[in-house]
Amino acid sequence: MPSEFDLIARHFTRPPRDAARVPLGVGDDCALVAPAAGMQLAISSDMLVEGRHFFAQADPALLGHKCLAVNLSDLAAMGARPLGFTLALALPAADDDWLRAFAGGMLALADAHDCDLIGGDTTRGPLNICITIFGEVPTGQALRRDAARSGDDIWISGTLGDARLALAGYRREIELDAASLQRAGRRMHVPMPRVALGQALRGIAHAAIDISDGLVGDLGHILERSGVGACIDADALPAGPELAAHPSELRRPFALAGGDDYELCFTAPASARESVLAAAAECGTPVTRVGRIDAAPGLRLVDRNGAPLSLQLASFDHFASP
Ligand code: ADP
Ligand code: MG
């Protein structure tokens, strides 16, 4: 059986892509990272635990992608540019094929975002994957949760709800045909973090968050931290292409509270609408205006005609497992 050091050397050691930014990567007691002058470090960790965040038999390449994607999504939500990340890994066995596929999925996404694996820790134990990611953002320009202002528009990148649709399909809460389930499943297993959009929104957007637990909950964090409220048009929400084929009784709750979307929810003043659209077009990421921040605390939902809807919609109890 290969030693821990063989595994690290074989799967997780590559020369840093830019010696000015990462003077020292994997192999020493610490990595050395040098953010550019005038930049603040943006740091975030996400842990993925077998049975809780992914299925026991998950495809290792997809898992490698997703572990890094959820961390990149946090940088995106701050408007930060990725620099590098560390990987703390507990493994039940030293399975070379599994590690090759896992590292392949993870490092392909790292390459796509010009980001280095700079260190980590490897130990035996129940499968558990913790990534800490480091990014940089010009001082004072991070997109913070506490920066929404009354009167701001609320925007969503991409589409919502297809990952939740896939979960409903896997759990047999609803019947999906195999092709639709597979397409929706891509959204769940292969999230595409909106890293370019986050950076393009610096100086335009006020507050931002990435939608990992569902729009209602995640927007709620912005409202709470900013001391404001909001009104959302449930029918304006951009449903994913698979979810869009379903009736509104399913579309609304899955788009409102689905989770695992990894889209950005951000606020920007109405005067910045054209700038938001230009920034989004530049990154090739569609954005949709779905509501408005107002001074009265709490979240209100309306339909396309402005008629109030119950927030109960977002809890979709009728889909809870028996
Ligand atoms: P230490 O004893 O100082 O904790 P280790 O023997 O755990 O060092 O790790 C040796 C080197 O390999 C370090 O540079 C560490 O950052 C790196 N490393 C360990 N595990 C991983 C991993 N899963 N991915 C990337 N680098 C790793
Ligand atoms: Mg160690």
Side-chain angles (χ1 to χ4, degrees), residues 220-243:
H221 296 307
I222 288 185
L223 303 185
E224 191 181 326
R225 296 289 293 276
S226 299
V228 293
C231 181
I232 293 277
D233 174 355
D235 293 322
L237 297 175
E242 300 310 312
L243 181 59

Side-chain angles (χ1 to χ4, degrees), residues 4-5 8 12-13 25-31 86-89 117-122:
E4 170 193 337
F5 301 104
I8 296 166
F12 299 121
T13 306
V26 170
D28 212 315
D29 295 308
C30 290
T86 61
L87 170 68
L89 200 54
L117 174 56
I118 60 172
D121 200 23
T122 308

Side-chain angles (χ1 to χ4, degrees), residues 86-261:
T86 61
L87 170 68
L89 200 54
L91 293 169
D95 179 340
D96 222 32
D97 292 336
W98 191 95
L99 278 165
R100 187 173 303 106
F102 174 80
M106 190 178 63
L107 295 176
L109 185 66
D111 286 346
H113 289 279
D114 191 24
C115 180
D116 287 308
L117 174 56
I118 60 172
D121 200 23
T122 308
T123 179
R124 197 172 291 262
L127 186 56
N128 187 320
I129 305 156
C130 182
I131 287 180
T132 298
I133 198 160
F134 300 81
E136 62 180 10
V137 60
T139 299
Q141 287 189 37
L143 305 175
R144 299 165 48 135
R145 295 181 181 186
D146 60 5
R149 296 290 170 263
S150 178
D152 279 0
D153 293 323
I154 301 169
W155 298 80
I156 305 285
S157 69
T159 64
L160 301 175
D162 270 3
R164 180 61 181 86
L165 183 71
L167 185 63
Y170 295 135
R171 287 180 177 166
R172 307 221 154 221
E173 291 167 353
I174 57 175
E175 279 306 315
L176 292 179
D177 68 72
S180 179
L181 179 57
Q182 187 174 8
R183 287 190 297 267
R186 290 289 294 176
R187 269 309 295 264
M188 180 184 207
H189 299 304
V190 194
M192 288 300 179
R194 302 300 193 180
V195 177
L197 179 65
Q199 292 171 80
L201 289 171
R202 291 197 305 241
I204 299 172
H206 281 161
I209 192 167
D210 67 320
I211 305 174
S212 52
D213 296 331
L215 172 62
V216 166
D218 288 324
L219 175 60
H221 296 307
I222 288 185
L223 303 185
E224 191 181 326
R225 296 289 293 276
S226 299
V228 293
C231 181
I232 293 277
D233 174 355
D235 293 322
L237 297 175
E242 300 310 312
L243 181 59
H246 293 266
S248 65
E249 303 83 73
L250 196 71
R251 249 184 7 245
R252 285 170 174 167
F254 280 16
L256 281 166
D260 254 359
D261 294 309

